[in-house]
Amino acid sequence: GESVGLHLPTLSVQEGDNSIINCAYSNSASDYFIWYKQESGKGPQFIIDIRSNMDKRQGQRVTVLLNKTVKHLSLQIAATQPGDSAVYFCAENPPGGGADGLTFGKGTHLIIQP
Amino acid sequence: KAGVTQTPRYLIKTRGQQVTLSCSPISGHRSVSWYQQTPGQGLQFLFEYFSETQRNKGNFPGRFSGRQFSNSRSEMNVSTLELGDSALYLCASSQGRPGQTQYFGPGTRLLVL
């Protein structure tokens, strides 16, 4: 079946460096993607989203890039801080709307080195 | 605006029992979705309710059920609990229109012994 997946289970970066978390999706008809951050003991927290008619979207310290040609999504975090330590999930919203559940990747655990 | 709330936060049950979990969505949100999160399977969609109707369902057995009330609050029930039902159960709310972001609650941690 089609699924959304992440390339690396763990990513370790130095505090202050930029982080890039990658995600591959297989449903070429998907039209909406979301990045969530989940800290230990908490539910996923919305970070940023992007629709398929865009290839880049920026937020505060975060940027999401969408490459529809290779079905790839990435999350860039600028000047990584200790508070950025968490598991990051990309999620795919199936084509046609919100009636179906989100399909999540397995997650990447971002570890910040002091 | 208050976020999504879930009760209880932690629960311990034994095999064969049943459990009911509760979710209150963000004010104004009419859609509530439920997910199961385990280390092995990750986040998996259970079902979604909109205006008191189940709009979509994931690939879970009939032991998992839910309902939504007129105030959009939702409950999910798991009957005849199995050890494998131990998980973090998350609910998420949205306004319910296509392509809208879902916002998650803190989850209920269920342990089945």
Side-chain angles (χ1 to χ4, degrees), chain A residues 16-110:
Chain A
D17 286 352
N18 297 333
S19 303
I20 300 176
I21 301 171
N22 295 305
C23 176
Y25 65 95
S26 58
N27 189 340
S28 57
S30 294
D31 56 5
Y32 182 54
F33 305 88
I34 311 163
W35 280 101
Y36 286 94
K37 170 188 179 182
Q38 187 174 24
E39 296 173 279
S40 181
K42 298 183 180 180
Q45 175 189 356
F46 170 83
I47 301 174
I48 193 167
D49 59 3
I50 189 166
R51 301 194 184 276
S52 59
N53 61 351
M54 304 171 69
D55 53 20
K56 180 179 180 179
R57 190 163 189 222
Q58 287 185 292
Q60 187 177 10
R61 281 201 310 118
V62 294
T63 301
V64 55
L65 299 177
L66 175 63
N67 185 330
K68 293 182 285 294
T69 303
V70 295
K71 291 183 284 188
H72 183 268
L73 193 69
S74 69
L75 176 70
Q76 299 179 0
I77 305 174
T80 311
Q81 303 169 358
D84 295 328
S85 289
V87 177
Y88 290 80
F89 295 94
C90 62
E92 173 185 12
N93 205 24
D100 297 327
L102 293 171
T103 302
F104 283 84
K106 294 295 185 185
T108 292
H109 186 193
L110 179 64

Side-chain angles (χ1 to χ4, degrees), chain A residues 31-32 34 36 38 41-46 49 51 89 93 96-106, chain B residues 9-10 31 35 37 40-43 45 48 55-56 88 90 97-107:
Chain A
D31 56 5
Y32 182 54
I34 311 163
Y36 286 94
Q38 187 174 24
K42 298 183 180 180
Q45 175 189 356
F46 170 83
D49 59 3
R51 301 194 184 276
F89 295 94
N93 205 24
D100 297 327
L102 293 171
T103 302
F104 283 84
K106 294 295 185 185
Chain B
R9 292 294 313 278
Y10 303 93
S31 169
Y35 294 84
Q37 186 176 31
Q41 298 299 318
L43 275 153
F45 172 69
E48 187 235 0
R55 213 164 45 166
N56 201 36
L88 180 66
L90 293 157
R97 291 193 294 274
Q100 290 190 313
T101 303
Q102 294 182 23
Y103 295 91
F104 285 83

